Amino acid sequence: MGWKAQHYVFAGMMIVFGTFNTLSVKWADKMKSKSIDGTIQPFNHPFLQACGMFLGEMMCMAAFWVSRYLARRQPQQPFPPIDDSSAPRKFNPFIFLPPALCDMTATSIQYIGLTLTYASSFQMFRGAVIIFTGIFSQIFLGRKMQWYKWVGIFLVISGLVTVGVNDVISQGSKNSTQPQPHTINNNSTGDLDDGRFWTPHPSLLKLYGAEGNGTKSDTDIILGDALIFCSQIIVATQMVLEEKFISKYNVPALQAVGWEGTFGFTTLSILLIPFSFIYVGPKFGNNPRHMLEDPYDGVYQLAHNPLLALAFCGTIVSIAFFNFAGISVTKELSATTRMVLDSIRTISIWMFSIAVGWQDFAALQLLGFAILLSGMCFYNDIIILPGIKKIVSKCGLCQGGEVPYDNVDEEEGEDQN
């Protein structure tokens, strides 16, 4: 089954809004604001940001009821359609509680990791979910992938690992060659001597939170990457649960995202209360009281920095559109396809991070992205395999224009459900 026009629309929405969502979260992490103790502190509130994400998902529920109201006002057909197989079935809303809890846990862990590492590394290691999703889909959903899809997954993971290793190597080199942090002179408009191909104006660097060299310790980067990587097992579980329930009950995408957002926001909001009394020390509790989370301090910082509040609101709005598109892709295509499309965001995030000075260019990263793109082409059966098929057919190497691979969807697995 080939892609339809709506599939390309959903895929585009996932990439655009997903990219904006990650960048807005990292932008908020890099900004500073007045804290409750009167000092200027970085905004480091991953659990509060996760609450904002679920609030954005709850907005999808309101959009669902509005669309349903408008649909009821449209003229009805005189006779109902004979085939009602696509009509939604009655379901218990609590079927979305397990995926919502998975989403809540994974998102919180990932946002903690994002505060320790770079935005591009955050997105790279999220690509590891392709492995777990593919395995879980075969085990629990009975899906069978063609050989070229496995080749694509292998190449995608190889590309992500290449770029991730480069981050650790380049960071170690940066720490050894830069004993003192590089600061920006607000009164100077000259270029920064850090080897960049292009240097934004200092005012833009300050706006995007790129002042200084953003040096992080090797331990922070490794820990952040490890947290993000391990959280992908939970994300893969969520994707498989969503695919199984959506295909079974045919739940509208907006309604499904809305229910997950409702359960996630409610649960995490309640958990913020005990989190504000759990002392974790200054290493992980980057707030005046060094608690696991301090929601009051987070809201206080948002109220005293308009740009920070803008970034936080951007996270809420973008995640609403991103999750709607993502769950639509899961419903129309598959959970593994959603994960591959989600990984494409890495490219745009990496390019933006370099442009605004969040990180430096490295040739090994470019090689990693080339491997990543080739893997996606293999998995989605575009460009590479069709090109090989065309060349083989023109050369007459295969009888009747046949090529030694079958472009078959996982129909057999779907029939078993």
Side-chain angles (χ1 to χ4, degrees):
M1 181 182 66
W3 280 31
K4 301 178 182 179
Q6 61 183 7
H7 297 159
Y8 289 101
V9 173
F10 291 145
M13 289 178 62
M14 276 194 63
I15 296 172
V16 173
F17 288 105
T19 299
F20 183 81
N21 178 259
T22 300
L23 292 175
S24 62
V25 173
K26 189 59 181 179
W27 184 26
D29 290 340
K30 296 183 74 67
M31 283 193 284
K32 298 180 180 181
S33 181
K34 184 178 180 180
S35 187
I36 55 176
D37 61 353
T39 61
I40 303 299
Q41 299 291 338
F43 184 79
N44 196 326
H45 298 277
F47 293 101
L48 183 62
Q49 288 178 304
C51 273
M53 186 206 73
F54 286 113
L55 180 60
E57 291 185 358
M58 286 181 61
M59 294 170 56
C60 291
M61 181 65 78
F64 167 75
W65 288 112
V66 171
S67 62
R68 187 173 183 179
Y69 172 77
L70 294 177
R72 288 181 175 179
R73 292 179 60 88
Q74 297 295 328
Q76 300 293 327
Q77 296 180 356
F79 299 99
I82 298 177
D83 183 15
D84 60 349
S85 60
S86 61
R89 297 172 53 188
K90 292 184 178 180
F91 65 93
N92 188 335
F94 283 95
I95 64 173
F96 287 102
L97 180 58
L101 294 178
C102 291
D103 195 7
M104 179 195 70
T105 305
T107 300
S108 300
I109 295 175
Q110 291 178 61
Y111 281 1
I112 294 175
L114 182 56
T115 62
L116 300 173
T117 187
Y118 298 105
S120 58
S121 299
F122 168 80
Q123 196 60 38
M124 291 172 217
F125 281 91
R126 290 184 65 185
V129 72
I130 297 174
I131 297 178
F132 304 117
T133 304
I135 295 175
F136 290 173
S137 295
Q138 288 215 130
I139 296 176
F140 300 108
L141 301 179
R143 306 180 72 89
K144 294 183 178 180
M145 295 189 297
Q146 301 298 317
W147 66 268
Y148 59 87
K149 291 185 178 289
W150 284 112
V151 172
I153 289 178
F154 174 77
L155 290 174
V156 167
I157 299 305
S158 299
L160 295 175
V161 170
T162 301
V163 182
V165 170
N166 171 81
D167 281 347
V168 176
I169 295 176
S170 61
Q171 182 59 35
S173 175
K174 180 184 294 184
N175 290 340
S176 63
T177 58
Q178 294 183 355
Q180 293 182 353
H182 184 85
T183 58
I184 291 178
N185 184 359
N186 294 330
N187 297 325
S188 173
T189 58
D191 293 337
L192 297 177
D193 186 17
D194 58 0
R196 299 177 191 167
F197 292 110
W198 172 74
T199 301
H201 191 274
S203 60
L204 290 178
L205 291 176
K206 184 176 181 180
L207 173 65
Y208 290 121
E211 62 270 18
N213 64 353
T215 300
K216 298 177 182 293
S217 67
D218 294 339
T219 304
D220 288 342
I221 291 181
I222 294 174
L223 178 59
D225 292 343
L227 288 173
I228 297 168
F229 179 84
C230 294
S231 68
Q232 301 316 300
I233 301 177
I234 306 175
V235 177
T237 304
Q238 174 199 349
M239 297 299 102
V240 172
L241 288 173
E242 285 183 349
E243 183 174 358
K244 187 174 184 62
F245 289 131
I246 291 173
S247 61
K248 181 178 181 180
Y249 295 99
N250 199 30
V251 182
L254 283 174
Q255 188 179 21
V257 175
W259 277 118
E260 287 192 15
T262 301
F263 286 123
F265 180 80
T266 303
T267 304
L268 191 54
S269 297
I270 296 175
L271 289 177
L272 286 180
I273 299 176
F275 285 177
S276 62
F277 294 97
I278 301 177
Y279 180 82
V280 294
K283 179 64 177 179
F284 294 100
N286 295 320
N287 51 73
R289 298 189 299 125
H290 304 307
M291 299 298 175
L292 182 60
E293 181 57 282
D294 193 339
Y296 176 71
D297 178 66
V299 174
Y300 188 89
Q301 287 188 292
L302 289 172
H304 286 79
N305 189 334
L307 286 179
L308 180 60
L310 177 63
F312 189 81
C313 292
T315 302
I316 296 175
V317 175
S318 60
I319 201 64
F321 286 97
F322 169 71
N323 277 278
F324 163 69
I327 204 168
S328 298
V329 169
T330 299
K331 178 180 178 180
E332 298 288 339
L333 299 171
S334 68
T336 312
T337 302
R338 172 179 177 176
M339 291 298 97
V340 175
L341 291 172
D342 189 46
S343 300
I344 300 178
R345 295 189 291 160
T346 309
I347 301 175
S348 53
I349 293 172
W350 173 66
M351 294 176 62
F352 184 88
S353 298
I354 294 176
V356 301
W358 286 356
Q359 67 181 86
D360 297 328
F361 172 82
L364 189 58
Q365 282 187 319
L366 188 60
L367 174 62
F369 280 125
I371 300 174
L372 175 65
L373 287 176
S374 63
M376 293 177 180
C377 291
F378 264 98
Y379 183 87
N380 291 300
D381 191 23
I382 58 177
I383 302 178
I384 297 179
L385 285 180
I388 295 175
K389 177 180 179 180
K390 188 175 182 180
I391 293 174
V392 170
S393 299
K394 285 186 176 181
C395 294
L397 299 179
C398 295
Q399 296 181 356
E402 297 292 335
V403 295
Y405 88 96
D406 297 322
N407 183 10
V408 182
D409 271 346
E410 301 89 341
E411 298 290 345
E412 180 178 353
E414 293 179 350
D415 293 339
Q416 297 176 359
N417 295 335

